[in-house]
Amino acid sequence: MSPFLLLDYAGPIRFPGDGAKRGVGEHPHRGFETVTIVYQGEVEHRDSTGNGGVIGPGDVQWMTAGSGIFHEELHSGAFSHSGGDLQMVQLWVNLPKSHKMTPPGYQGITKQDIPEVTLADNAGTLRPIAGPFLDHQGPAHTFSPVHVWDMRLKAGGQTCFELPEGWTTTLVVLEGAVCINSSAPVTEAGMVLLSRQKTGIKLHAEQSSLVLLLSGEPINEPIVGNRPFVMNSKSEILQAFDELQRGVFGRL
């Protein structure tokens, strides 16, 4: 799946308005990036560099762990008290060896920052979060070439794309039912991994559908992961745990 490491699809699930700030408390990372896309609800981020913010429907947090960071991701205060539906995706994107120790960073990308492009024949809309689409450029800065496209397809809509040969490409159907290159319908929470030798993608939505397309140039380097760290060797993992214990990652 290189350059992608992990995909977590959370929800949709309804939470009570009881004031409890649920989520993932303080924890470290090194060597990759986390991308959080919110469809419903609100998520609040805070990290050891002093960055943070609240993202709601249509917004994205793109965090570069790089050389090391502590962060937490919880329901926002407002969402905790109001309650409601939460639906989100978190993606881990690997960093090339040359950038694994880059300084940590944070990109808070609002819905207004992301172009929304109407697809041909009014098949739906596409939002490029990262990478280009037609004459539009996704706002996310990346360390290797990737496309992260958020699509909403209308029932009966058909659309086609060409992507670079040799790239990893996967489509995740979050809602609805979509035929991909004449496949049987891929339904809710289904994922399709395409051949790297194929560049053309044809989508036919049998229902109104929410689809996430992930495509990227593979990083042909060793991957050694241990819990919150993804590096290129075991010795680098041991170094990360040593530096974590010595306080090099800082604190919230």
Side-chain angles (χ1 to χ4, degrees):
M1 292 291 296
S2 179
F4 308 110
L5 297 166
L6 175 148
L7 178 75
D8 181 19
Y9 178 35
I13 187 170
R14 179 168 290 273
F15 287 94
D18 56 8
K21 295 187 72 172
R22 299 172 176 87
V24 183
E26 182 178 354
H27 60 284
H29 289 303
R30 171 178 280 184
F32 62 97
E33 301 185 284
T34 67
V35 182
T36 305
I37 306 169
V38 172
Y39 295 95
Q40 299 182 70
E42 285 188 343
V43 175
E44 185 171 0
H45 167 97
R46 189 166 65 100
D47 67 45
S48 53
T49 70
N51 286 313
V54 175
I55 58 170
D59 299 339
V60 177
Q61 289 177 157
W62 197 295
M63 187 193 78
T64 303
S67 60
I69 200 169
F70 268 101
H71 78 143
E72 65 178 19
E73 293 169 298
L74 304 171
H75 295 177
S76 71
F79 182 75
S80 297
H81 284 93
S82 68
D85 292 329
L86 180 72
Q87 182 184 22
M88 57 168 276
V89 165
Q90 185 168 95
L91 173 70
W92 288 14
V93 183
N94 201 10
L95 285 171
K97 182 178 178 63
S98 58
H99 293 293
K100 281 195 175 290
M101 296 300 286
T102 196
Y106 173 81
Q107 301 173 72
I109 302 170
T110 67
K111 181 179 180 179
Q112 290 71 29
D113 296 330
I114 304 170
E116 184 170 301
V117 185
T118 300
L119 297 171
D121 300 321
N122 202 28
T125 58
L126 185 152
R127 299 193 314 144
I129 296 168
F133 177 70
L134 300 178
D135 296 328
H136 303 271
Q137 178 66 42
H141 166 77
T142 68
F143 288 87
S144 64
V146 297
H147 294 98
V148 178
W149 294 348
D150 173 31
M151 292 182 279
R152 294 183 182 272
L153 304 178
K154 296 182 178 180
Q158 297 190 59
T159 189
C160 298
F161 307 107
E162 286 287 333
L163 292 167
E165 186 175 3
W167 280 29
T168 299
T169 300
T170 186
L171 292 102
V172 187
V173 178
L174 303 176
E175 297 176 358
V178 180
C179 298
I180 301 168
N181 289 350
S182 302
S183 71
V186 181
T187 57
E188 182 178 354
M191 186 172 82
V192 169
L193 178 64
L194 301 181
S195 166
R196 288 180 178 168
Q197 281 67 55
K198 300 288 187 179
T199 60
I201 302 173
K202 180 180 178 181
L203 305 181
H204 172 77
E206 293 204 338
Q207 305 170 13
S208 296
S209 300
L210 179 61
V211 180
L212 185 64
L213 180 146
L214 309 172
S215 187
E217 184 176 46
I219 300 171
N220 295 314
E221 298 171 351
I223 296 174
V224 180
N226 191 311
R227 291 182 287 176
F229 306 136
V230 181
M231 302 300 289
N232 299 115
S233 68
K234 183 178 178 180
S235 63
E236 291 172 332
I237 294 290
L238 295 174
Q239 178 185 354
F241 277 107
D242 176 66
E243 293 182 0
L244 175 68
Q245 292 177 354
R246 291 192 286 112
V248 172
F249 285 49
R251 286 289 183 270
L252 290 181

PDB file of all heavy atoms in Angstrom, residues 171-209:
ATOM      1  N   LEU A 171      -9.526   2.826  -3.740  1.00  0.00           N
ATOM      2  CA  LEU A 171     -10.766   3.573  -3.557  1.00  0.00           C
ATOM      3  C   LEU A 171     -11.523   2.969  -2.391  1.00  0.00           C
ATOM      4  O   LEU A 171     -11.676   1.747  -2.298  1.00  0.00           O
ATOM      5  CB  LEU A 171     -11.635   3.541  -4.812  1.00  0.00           C
ATOM      6  CG  LEU A 171     -11.060   4.311  -6.007  1.00  0.00           C
ATOM      7  CD1 LEU A 171     -10.448   3.347  -7.000  1.00  0.00           C
ATOM      8  CD2 LEU A 171     -12.134   5.162  -6.676  1.00  0.00           C
ATOM      9  N   VAL A 172     -11.996   3.831  -1.508  1.00  0.00           N
ATOM     10  CA  VAL A 172     -12.759   3.413  -0.343  1.00  0.00           C
ATOM     11  C   VAL A 172     -14.171   3.969  -0.494  1.00  0.00           C
ATOM     12  O   VAL A 172     -14.350   5.189  -0.601  1.00  0.00           O
ATOM     13  CB  VAL A 172     -12.129   3.932   0.966  1.00  0.00           C
ATOM     14  CG1 VAL A 172     -12.846   3.324   2.173  1.00  0.00           C
ATOM     15  CG2 VAL A 172     -10.645   3.629   1.014  1.00  0.00           C
ATOM     16  N   VAL A 173     -15.152   3.077  -0.537  1.00  0.00           N
ATOM     17  CA  VAL A 173     -16.555   3.498  -0.618  1.00  0.00           C
ATOM     18  C   VAL A 173     -17.064   3.632   0.819  1.00  0.00           C
ATOM     19  O   VAL A 173     -17.256   2.641   1.517  1.00  0.00           O
ATOM     20  CB  VAL A 173     -17.393   2.490  -1.424  1.00  0.00           C
ATOM     21  CG1 VAL A 173     -18.859   2.920  -1.440  1.00  0.00           C
ATOM     22  CG2 VAL A 173     -16.848   2.360  -2.844  1.00  0.00           C
ATOM     23  N   LEU A 174     -17.238   4.857   1.253  1.00  0.00           N
ATOM     24  CA  LEU A 174     -17.695   5.111   2.620  1.00  0.00           C
ATOM     25  C   LEU A 174     -19.212   4.968   2.734  1.00  0.00           C
ATOM     26  O   LEU A 174     -19.717   4.505   3.763  1.00  0.00           O
ATOM     27  CB  LEU A 174     -17.252   6.504   3.067  1.00  0.00           C
ATOM     28  CG  LEU A 174     -15.737   6.764   2.993  1.00  0.00           C
ATOM     29  CD1 LEU A 174     -15.435   8.212   3.358  1.00  0.00           C
ATOM     30  CD2 LEU A 174     -14.978   5.818   3.907  1.00  0.00           C
ATOM     31  N   GLU A 175     -19.910   5.373   1.699  1.00  0.00           N
ATOM     32  CA  GLU A 175     -21.372   5.252   1.661  1.00  0.00           C
ATOM     33  C   GLU A 175     -21.786   4.923   0.234  1.00  0.00           C
ATOM     34  O   GLU A 175     -21.123   5.321  -0.726  1.00  0.00           O
ATOM     35  CB  GLU A 175     -22.058   6.562   2.075  1.00  0.00           C
ATOM     36  CG  GLU A 175     -21.793   7.012   3.497  1.00  0.00           C
ATOM     37  CD  GLU A 175     -22.423   8.373   3.787  1.00  0.00           C
ATOM     38  OE1 GLU A 175     -23.020   8.974   2.865  1.00  0.00           O
ATOM     39  OE2 GLU A 175     -22.301   8.834   4.931  1.00  0.00           O
ATOM     40  N   GLY A 176     -22.907   4.199   0.085  1.00  0.00           N
ATOM     41  CA  GLY A 176     -23.471   3.952  -1.228  1.00  0.00           C
ATOM     42  C   GLY A 176     -22.996   2.663  -1.864  1.00  0.00           C
ATOM     43  O   GLY A 176     -22.634   1.700  -1.177  1.00  0.00           O
ATOM     44  N   ALA A 177     -22.978   2.642  -3.198  1.00  0.00           N
ATOM     45  CA  ALA A 177     -22.584   1.450  -3.966  1.00  0.00           C
ATOM     46  C   ALA A 177     -22.008   1.922  -5.292  1.00  0.00           C
ATOM     47  O   ALA A 177     -22.673   2.646  -6.041  1.00  0.00           O
ATOM     48  CB  ALA A 177     -23.784   0.533  -4.194  1.00  0.00           C
ATOM     49  N   VAL A 178     -20.774   1.491  -5.584  1.00  0.00           N
ATOM     50  CA  VAL A 178     -20.066   1.966  -6.775  1.00  0.00           C
ATOM     51  C   VAL A 178     -19.429   0.782  -7.497  1.00  0.00           C
ATOM     52  O   VAL A 178     -18.754  -0.048  -6.876  1.00  0.00           O
ATOM     53  CB  VAL A 178     -18.964   2.988  -6.394  1.00  0.00           C
ATOM     54  CG1 VAL A 178     -18.240   3.472  -7.643  1.00  0.00           C
ATOM     55  CG2 VAL A 178     -19.561   4.170  -5.638  1.00  0.00           C
ATOM     56  N   CYS A 179     -19.637   0.716  -8.808  1.00  0.00           N
ATOM     57  CA  CYS A 179     -18.925  -0.256  -9.649  1.00  0.00           C
ATOM     58  C   CYS A 179     -17.628   0.400 -10.125  1.00  0.00           C
ATOM     59  O   CYS A 179     -17.646   1.519 -10.655  1.00  0.00           O
ATOM     60  CB  CYS A 179     -19.774  -0.653 -10.847  1.00  0.00           C
ATOM     61  SG  CYS A 179     -21.336  -1.457 -10.404  1.00  0.00           S
ATOM     62  N   ILE A 180     -16.511  -0.285  -9.924  1.00  0.00           N
ATOM     63  CA  ILE A 180     -15.192   0.249 -10.245  1.00  0.00           C
ATOM     64  C   ILE A 180     -14.590  -0.599 -11.351  1.00  0.00           C
ATOM     65  O   ILE A 180     -14.363  -1.799 -11.173  1.00  0.00           O
ATOM     66  CB  ILE A 180     -14.293   0.257  -9.000  1.00  0.00           C
ATOM     67  CG1 ILE A 180     -14.953   1.110  -7.885  1.00  0.00           C
ATOM     68  CG2 ILE A 180     -12.900   0.777  -9.322  1.00  0.00           C
ATOM     69  CD1 ILE A 180     -14.301   0.964  -6.529  1.00  0.00           C
ATOM     70  N   ASN A 181     -14.363   0.018 -12.519  1.00  0.00           N
ATOM     71  CA  ASN A 181     -13.874  -0.719 -13.691  1.00  0.00           C
ATOM     72  C   ASN A 181     -14.723  -1.962 -13.963  1.00  0.00           C
ATOM     73  O   ASN A 181     -14.217  -3.073 -14.127  1.00  0.00           O
ATOM     74  CB  ASN A 181     -12.398  -1.096 -13.510  1.00  0.00           C
ATOM     75  CG  ASN A 181     -11.485   0.116 -13.606  1.00  0.00           C
ATOM     76  OD1 ASN A 181     -11.920   1.198 -13.979  1.00  0.00           O
ATOM     77  ND2 ASN A 181     -10.221  -0.062 -13.249  1.00  0.00           N
ATOM     78  N   SER A 182     -16.033  -1.753 -13.971  1.00  0.00           N
ATOM     79  CA  SER A 182     -17.020  -2.802 -14.286  1.00  0.00           C
ATOM     80  C   SER A 182     -17.069  -3.922 -13.262  1.00  0.00           C
ATOM     81  O   SER A 182     -17.538  -5.029 -13.545  1.00  0.00           O
ATOM     82  CB  SER A 182     -16.734  -3.399 -15.679  1.00  0.00           C
ATOM     83  OG  SER A 182     -16.764  -2.380 -16.667  1.00  0.00           O
ATOM     84  N   SER A 183     -16.616  -3.660 -12.034  1.00  0.00           N
ATOM     85  CA  SER A 183     -16.702  -4.657 -10.968  1.00  0.00           C
ATOM     86  C   SER A 183     -18.145  -4.787 -10.496  1.00  0.00           C
ATOM     87  O   SER A 183     -19.016  -3.993 -10.854  1.00  0.00           O
ATOM     88  CB  SER A 183     -15.833  -4.228  -9.783  1.00  0.00           C
ATOM     89  OG  SER A 183     -16.427  -3.116  -9.108  1.00  0.00           O
ATOM     90  N   ALA A 184     -18.377  -5.792  -9.668  1.00  0.00           N
ATOM     91  CA  ALA A 184     -19.630  -5.839  -8.922  1.00  0.00           C
ATOM     92  C   ALA A 184     -19.658  -4.631  -7.994  1.00  0.00           C
ATOM     93  O   ALA A 184     -18.606  -4.061  -7.660  1.00  0.00           O
ATOM     94  CB  ALA A 184     -19.711  -7.134  -8.117  1.00  0.00           C
ATOM     95  N   PRO A 185     -20.850  -4.202  -7.542  1.00  0.00           N
ATOM     96  CA  PRO A 185     -20.917  -3.013  -6.692  1.00  0.00           C
ATOM     97  C   PRO A 185     -20.084  -3.168  -5.412  1.00  0.00           C
ATOM     98  O   PRO A 185     -20.163  -4.182  -4.725  1.00  0.00           O
ATOM     99  CB  PRO A 185     -22.409  -2.883  -6.381  1.00  0.00           C
ATOM    100  CG  PRO A 185     -23.099  -3.607  -7.488  1.00  0.00           C
ATOM    101  CD  PRO A 185     -22.187  -4.735  -7.858  1.00  0.00           C
ATOM    102  N   VAL A 186     -19.284  -2.156  -5.142  1.00  0.00           N
ATOM    103  CA  VAL A 186     -18.542  -2.068  -3.880  1.00  0.00           C
ATOM    104  C   VAL A 186     -19.378  -1.193  -2.957  1.00  0.00           C
ATOM    105  O   VAL A 186     -19.738  -0.068  -3.315  1.00  0.00           O
ATOM    106  CB  VAL A 186     -17.145  -1.459  -4.095  1.00  0.00           C
ATOM    107  CG1 VAL A 186     -16.380  -1.400  -2.780  1.00  0.00           C
ATOM    108  CG2 VAL A 186     -16.375  -2.269  -5.131  1.00  0.00           C
ATOM    109  N   THR A 187     -19.708  -1.718  -1.788  1.00  0.00           N
ATOM    110  CA  THR A 187     -20.659  -1.037  -0.917  1.00  0.00           C
ATOM    111  C   THR A 187     -19.973  -0.480   0.329  1.00  0.00           C
ATOM    112  O   THR A 187     -18.747  -0.527   0.460  1.00  0.00           O
ATOM    113  CB  THR A 187     -21.794  -1.989  -0.520  1.00  0.00           C
ATOM    114  OG1 THR A 187     -21.230  -3.151   0.103  1.00  0.00           O
ATOM    115  CG2 THR A 187     -22.586  -2.429  -1.742  1.00  0.00           C
ATOM    116  N   GLU A 188     -20.801   0.037   1.245  1.00  0.00           N
ATOM    117  CA  GLU A 188     -20.339   0.774   2.419  1.00  0.00           C
ATOM    118  C   GLU A 188     -19.177   0.095   3.139  1.00  0.00           C
ATOM    119  O   GLU A 188     -19.231  -1.086   3.461  1.00  0.00           O
ATOM    120  CB  GLU A 188     -21.508   0.935   3.398  1.00  0.00           C
ATOM    121  CG  GLU A 188     -21.171   1.736   4.634  1.00  0.00           C
ATOM    122  CD  GLU A 188     -22.378   1.901   5.535  1.00  0.00           C
ATOM    123  OE1 GLU A 188     -23.481   1.492   5.123  1.00  0.00           O
ATOM    124  OE2 GLU A 188     -22.213   2.428   6.637  1.00  0.00           O
ATOM    125  N   ALA A 189     -18.110   0.870   3.367  1.00  0.00           N
ATOM    126  CA  ALA A 189     -16.892   0.425   4.047  1.00  0.00           C
ATOM    127  C   ALA A 189     -16.126  -0.620   3.240  1.00  0.00           C
ATOM    128  O   ALA A 189     -15.293  -1.342   3.772  1.00  0.00           O
ATOM    129  CB  ALA A 189     -17.175  -0.089   5.455  1.00  0.00           C
ATOM    130  N   GLY A 190     -16.361  -0.685   1.928  1.00  0.00           N
ATOM    131  CA  GLY A 190     -15.595  -1.564   1.055  1.00  0.00           C
ATOM    132  C   GLY A 190     -14.435  -0.820   0.429  1.00  0.00           C
ATOM    133  O   GLY A 190     -14.495   0.391   0.190  1.00  0.00           O
ATOM    134  N   MET A 191     -13.339  -1.553   0.167  1.00  0.00           N
ATOM    135  CA  MET A 191     -12.147  -0.934  -0.397  1.00  0.00           C
ATOM    136  C   MET A 191     -11.632  -1.776  -1.557  1.00  0.00           C
ATOM    137  O   MET A 191     -11.649  -3.002  -1.486  1.00  0.00           O
ATOM    138  CB  MET A 191     -11.062  -0.807   0.670  1.00  0.00           C
ATOM    139  CG  MET A 191      -9.831  -0.045   0.215  1.00  0.00           C
ATOM    140  SD  MET A 191      -8.661   0.296   1.563  1.00  0.00           S
ATOM    141  CE  MET A 191      -7.803  -1.281   1.632  1.00  0.00           C
ATOM    142  N   VAL A 192     -11.173  -1.118  -2.605  1.00  0.00           N
ATOM    143  CA  VAL A 192     -10.623  -1.780  -3.778  1.00  0.00           C
ATOM    144  C   VAL A 192      -9.196  -1.279  -4.003  1.00  0.00           C
ATOM    145  O   VAL A 192      -8.950  -0.068  -4.000  1.00  0.00           O
ATOM    146  CB  VAL A 192     -11.490  -1.489  -5.031  1.00  0.00           C
ATOM    147  CG1 VAL A 192     -10.786  -1.950  -6.289  1.00  0.00           C
ATOM    148  CG2 VAL A 192     -12.841  -2.172  -4.901  1.00  0.00           C
ATOM    149  N   LEU A 193      -8.260  -2.213  -4.174  1.00  0.00           N
ATOM    150  CA  LEU A 193      -6.870  -1.881  -4.501  1.00  0.00           C
ATOM    151  C   LEU A 193      -6.645  -2.217  -5.963  1.00  0.00           C
ATOM    152  O   LEU A 193      -6.862  -3.356  -6.386  1.00  0.00           O
ATOM    153  CB  LEU A 193      -5.909  -2.675  -3.612  1.00  0.00           C
ATOM    154  CG  LEU A 193      -4.416  -2.470  -3.865  1.00  0.00           C
ATOM    155  CD1 LEU A 193      -4.008  -1.036  -3.560  1.00  0.00           C
ATOM    156  CD2 LEU A 193      -3.596  -3.448  -3.031  1.00  0.00           C
ATOM    157  N   LEU A 194      -6.215  -1.234  -6.750  1.00  0.00           N
ATOM    158  CA  LEU A 194      -6.052  -1.421  -8.190  1.00  0.00           C
ATOM    159  C   LEU A 194      -4.619  -1.838  -8.533  1.00  0.00           C
ATOM    160  O   LEU A 194      -3.685  -1.565  -7.786  1.00  0.00           O
ATOM    161  CB  LEU A 194      -6.405  -0.123  -8.920  1.00  0.00           C
ATOM    162  CG  LEU A 194      -7.820   0.409  -8.697  1.00  0.00           C
ATOM    163  CD1 LEU A 194      -8.039   1.671  -9.503  1.00  0.00           C
ATOM    164  CD2 LEU A 194      -8.861  -0.636  -9.065  1.00  0.00           C
ATOM    165  N   SER A 195      -4.469  -2.465  -9.683  1.00  0.00           N
ATOM    166  CA  SER A 195      -3.152  -2.839 -10.179  1.00  0.00           C
ATOM    167  C   SER A 195      -2.337  -1.582 -10.478  1.00  0.00           C
ATOM    168  O   SER A 195      -2.860  -0.598 -11.018  1.00  0.00           O
ATOM    169  CB  SER A 195      -3.291  -3.671 -11.448  1.00  0.00           C
ATOM    170  OG  SER A 195      -2.058  -3.773 -12.116  1.00  0.00           O
ATOM    171  N   ARG A 196      -1.045  -1.626 -10.162  1.00  0.00           N
ATOM    172  CA  ARG A 196      -0.173  -0.489 -10.476  1.00  0.00           C
ATOM    173  C   ARG A 196       0.085  -0.355 -11.970  1.00  0.00           C
ATOM    174  O   ARG A 196       0.600   0.663 -12.424  1.00  0.00           O
ATOM    175  CB  ARG A 196       1.149  -0.618  -9.722  1.00  0.00           C
ATOM    176  CG  ARG A 196       1.015  -0.369  -8.230  1.00  0.00           C
ATOM    177  CD  ARG A 196       2.337  -0.514  -7.518  1.00  0.00           C
ATOM    178  NE  ARG A 196       2.182  -0.226  -6.088  1.00  0.00           N
ATOM    179  CZ  ARG A 196       3.105  -0.497  -5.177  1.00  0.00           C
ATOM    180  NH1 ARG A 196       4.247  -1.067  -5.539  1.00  0.00           N
ATOM    181  NH2 ARG A 196       2.896  -0.206  -3.911  1.00  0.00           N
ATOM    182  N   GLN A 197      -0.259  -1.391 -12.745  1.00  0.00           N
ATOM    183  CA  GLN A 197      -0.072  -1.327 -14.193  1.00  0.00           C
ATOM    184  C   GLN A 197      -1.262  -0.694 -14.911  1.00  0.00           C
ATOM    185  O   GLN A 197      -1.202  -0.406 -16.097  1.00  0.00           O
ATOM    186  CB  GLN A 197       0.163  -2.731 -14.766  1.00  0.00           C
ATOM    187  CG  GLN A 197       1.589  -3.250 -14.558  1.00  0.00           C
ATOM    188  CD  GLN A 197       1.923  -3.496 -13.109  1.00  0.00           C
ATOM    189  OE1 GLN A 197       1.216  -4.226 -12.422  1.00  0.00           O
ATOM    190  NE2 GLN A 197       2.993  -2.889 -12.624  1.00  0.00           N
ATOM    191  N   LYS A 198      -2.348  -0.478 -14.181  1.00  0.00           N
ATOM    192  CA  LYS A 198      -3.542   0.125 -14.775  1.00  0.00           C
ATOM    193  C   LYS A 198      -3.589   1.610 -14.425  1.00  0.00           C
ATOM    194  O   LYS A 198      -3.390   1.996 -13.274  1.00  0.00           O
ATOM    195  CB  LYS A 198      -4.808  -0.556 -14.249  1.00  0.00           C
ATOM    196  CG  LYS A 198      -4.880  -2.060 -14.542  1.00  0.00           C
ATOM    197  CD  LYS A 198      -5.138  -2.327 -16.012  1.00  0.00           C
ATOM    198  CE  LYS A 198      -5.366  -3.825 -16.251  1.00  0.00           C
ATOM    199  NZ  LYS A 198      -5.638  -4.104 -17.653  1.00  0.00           N
ATOM    200  N   THR A 199      -3.841   2.448 -15.407  1.00  0.00           N
ATOM    201  CA  THR A 199      -3.894   3.889 -15.157  1.00  0.00           C
ATOM    202  C   THR A 199      -5.310   4.443 -15.232  1.00  0.00           C
ATOM    203  O   THR A 199      -5.585   5.515 -14.717  1.00  0.00           O
ATOM    204  CB  THR A 199      -3.017   4.647 -16.170  1.00  0.00           C
ATOM    205  OG1 THR A 199      -3.494   4.374 -17.497  1.00  0.00           O
ATOM    206  CG2 THR A 199      -1.559   4.211 -16.051  1.00  0.00           C
ATOM    207  N   GLY A 200      -6.217   3.710 -15.886  1.00  0.00           N
ATOM    208  CA  GLY A 200      -7.580   4.209 -16.058  1.00  0.00           C
ATOM    209  C   GLY A 200      -8.519   3.697 -14.982  1.00  0.00           C
ATOM    210  O   GLY A 200      -8.441   2.535 -14.568  1.00  0.00           O
ATOM    211  N   ILE A 201      -9.399   4.577 -14.504  1.00  0.00           N
ATOM    212  CA  ILE A 201     -10.409   4.211 -13.513  1.00  0.00           C
ATOM    213  C   ILE A 201     -11.758   4.684 -14.027  1.00  0.00           C
ATOM    214  O   ILE A 201     -11.916   5.854 -14.394  1.00  0.00           O
ATOM    215  CB  ILE A 201     -10.137   4.868 -12.145  1.00  0.00           C
ATOM    216  CG1 ILE A 201      -8.757   4.483 -11.615  1.00  0.00           C
ATOM    217  CG2 ILE A 201     -11.214   4.492 -11.134  1.00  0.00           C
ATOM    218  CD1 ILE A 201      -8.391   5.233 -10.358  1.00  0.00           C
ATOM    219  N   LYS A 202     -12.724   3.780 -14.057  1.00  0.00           N
ATOM    220  CA  LYS A 202     -14.088   4.129 -14.452  1.00  0.00           C
ATOM    221  C   LYS A 202     -15.017   3.807 -13.293  1.00  0.00           C
ATOM    222  O   LYS A 202     -15.027   2.693 -12.779  1.00  0.00           O
ATOM    223  CB  LYS A 202     -14.517   3.342 -15.688  1.00  0.00           C
ATOM    224  CG  LYS A 202     -15.926   3.656 -16.159  1.00  0.00           C
ATOM    225  CD  LYS A 202     -16.295   2.842 -17.395  1.00  0.00           C
ATOM    226  CE  LYS A 202     -17.723   3.127 -17.843  1.00  0.00           C
ATOM    227  NZ  LYS A 202     -18.089   2.314 -19.030  1.00  0.00           N
ATOM    228  N   LEU A 203     -15.775   4.796 -12.857  1.00  0.00           N
ATOM    229  CA  LEU A 203     -16.703   4.641 -11.737  1.00  0.00           C
ATOM    230  C   LEU A 203     -18.133   4.797 -12.217  1.00  0.00           C
ATOM    231  O   LEU A 203     -18.440   5.697 -13.009  1.00  0.00           O
ATOM    232  CB  LEU A 203     -16.419   5.690 -10.653  1.00  0.00           C
ATOM    233  CG  LEU A 203     -14.993   5.773 -10.096  1.00  0.00           C
ATOM    234  CD1 LEU A 203     -14.920   6.848  -9.020  1.00  0.00           C
ATOM    235  CD2 LEU A 203     -14.543   4.432  -9.559  1.00  0.00           C
ATOM    236  N   HIS A 204     -19.003   3.925 -11.730  1.00  0.00           N
ATOM    237  CA  HIS A 204     -20.438   4.033 -11.972  1.00  0.00           C
ATOM    238  C   HIS A 204     -21.137   3.891 -10.632  1.00  0.00           C
ATOM    239  O   HIS A 204     -21.046   2.846  -9.985  1.00  0.00           O
ATOM    240  CB  HIS A 204     -20.934   2.956 -12.932  1.00  0.00           C
ATOM    241  CG  HIS A 204     -22.431   2.911 -13.048  1.00  0.00           C
ATOM    242  ND1 HIS A 204     -23.151   3.829 -13.782  1.00  0.00           N
ATOM    243  CD2 HIS A 204     -23.345   2.066 -12.495  1.00  0.00           C
ATOM    244  CE1 HIS A 204     -24.431   3.554 -13.690  1.00  0.00           C
ATOM    245  NE2 HIS A 204     -24.589   2.493 -12.913  1.00  0.00           N
ATOM    246  N   ALA A 205     -21.816   4.936 -10.206  1.00  0.00           N
ATOM    247  CA  ALA A 205     -22.495   4.935  -8.906  1.00  0.00           C
ATOM    248  C   ALA A 205     -23.903   4.384  -9.058  1.00  0.00           C
ATOM    249  O   ALA A 205     -24.730   4.968  -9.760  1.00  0.00           O
ATOM    250  CB  ALA A 205     -22.543   6.343  -8.330  1.00  0.00           C
ATOM    251  N   GLU A 206     -24.163   3.250  -8.416  1.00  0.00           N
ATOM    252  CA  GLU A 206     -25.515   2.690  -8.444  1.00  0.00           C
ATOM    253  C   GLU A 206     -26.433   3.413  -7.461  1.00  0.00           C
ATOM    254  O   GLU A 206     -27.654   3.363  -7.603  1.00  0.00           O
ATOM    255  CB  GLU A 206     -25.459   1.198  -8.113  1.00  0.00           C
ATOM    256  CG  GLU A 206     -24.764   0.378  -9.178  1.00  0.00           C
ATOM    257  CD  GLU A 206     -25.202  -1.070  -9.158  1.00  0.00           C
ATOM    258  OE1 GLU A 206     -25.701  -1.529  -8.108  1.00  0.00           O
ATOM    259  OE2 GLU A 206     -25.067  -1.735 -10.213  1.00  0.00           O
ATOM    260  N   GLN A 207     -25.841   4.048  -6.465  1.00  0.00           N
ATOM    261  CA  GLN A 207     -26.571   4.861  -5.496  1.00  0.00           C
ATOM    262  C   GLN A 207     -25.770   6.141  -5.267  1.00  0.00           C
ATOM    263  O   GLN A 207     -24.602   6.225  -5.649  1.00  0.00           O
ATOM    264  CB  GLN A 207     -26.717   4.128  -4.157  1.00  0.00           C
ATOM    265  CG  GLN A 207     -27.340   2.755  -4.203  1.00  0.00           C
ATOM    266  CD  GLN A 207     -27.217   2.045  -2.861  1.00  0.00           C
ATOM    267  OE1 GLN A 207     -26.882   2.640  -1.835  1.00  0.00           O
ATOM    268  NE2 GLN A 207     -27.472   0.744  -2.869  1.00  0.00           N
ATOM    269  N   SER A 208     -26.384   7.126  -4.626  1.00  0.00           N
ATOM    270  CA  SER A 208     -25.611   8.281  -4.172  1.00  0.00           C
ATOM    271  C   SER A 208     -24.508   7.767  -3.254  1.00  0.00           C
ATOM    272  O   SER A 208     -24.775   7.010  -2.316  1.00  0.00           O
ATOM    273  CB  SER A 208     -26.509   9.267  -3.424  1.00  0.00           C
ATOM    274  OG  SER A 208     -27.489   9.795  -4.289  1.00  0.00           O
ATOM    275  N   SER A 209     -23.268   8.152  -3.531  1.00  0.00           N
ATOM    276  CA  SER A 209     -22.134   7.511  -2.869  1.00  0.00           C
ATOM    277  C   SER A 209     -21.083   8.529  -2.433  1.00  0.00           C
ATOM    278  O   SER A 209     -20.890   9.572  -3.076  1.00  0.00           O
ATOM    279  CB  SER A 209     -21.472   6.493  -3.797  1.00  0.00           C
ATOM    280  OG  SER A 209     -22.392   5.478  -4.172  1.00  0.00           O
TER     281      SER A 209
END
